[in-house]
Each structure stands twice: as C-alpha cells, then as structure tokens.
Amino acid sequence: MAWLVLLLPFTLRLAGQNASPTAAALVIAATAWFLAVLIALRLDDLDRPGPAEAVLRRLTYGPRARRRA
C-alpha cells in the first residue's frame, strides 16, 4: 500500500520528484520496514497478537466467547 500512495503518478509521485527513483523506493522500503518493526514491538509490549496472528487464530478457533462479568 505504501508503494501505491507514495510512488504512483496519480498520488504523491515521489519517484518522479527525485533524481533517482531507485533511491526513493529504497528509502520508502526502509521506512516501511522500520515502522513495521516499531508496531510489532509495541504490540509485543502490550502482549497483543499481530494482525496476521489474530486472523489465523480466528479462522482456526472461531470467534472468541464473550466473558461474563
């Protein structure tokens, strides 16, 4: 999704504004990776599963049962 928003001509067109589209793509890829690592660390600190794990568990075990108060 980051590639669509940042590089294509009908969105932000960052590839066309730089001297090297390859360098722009590399910076965007590194930034997206770094943000993904930060989000994963935050989810780990909160002891919550990531989105892929949550979907896999939901598909495997079904919806969670509601807890009674």
Side-chain angles (χ1 to χ4, degrees):
M1 189 56 130
W3 301 108
L4 177 69
V5 172
L6 298 172
L7 294 176
L8 292 179
F10 54 85
T11 56
L12 292 179
R13 193 180 13 197
L14 290 181
Q17 294 177 357
N18 295 318
S20 173
T22 304
L26 182 61
V27 168
I28 291 169
T31 304
W33 175 81
F34 185 70
L35 287 173
V37 168
L38 288 178
I39 291 169
L41 287 173
R42 181 72 177 138
L43 286 172
D44 188 44
D45 288 343
L46 295 173
D47 199 29
R48 296 187 58 185
E53 183 180 354
V55 168
L56 182 61
R57 285 181 183 271
R58 177 102 184 209
L59 291 172
T60 303
Y61 301 118
R64 269 201 264 174
R66 295 187 179 214
R67 295 181 186 176
R68 293 185 181 182

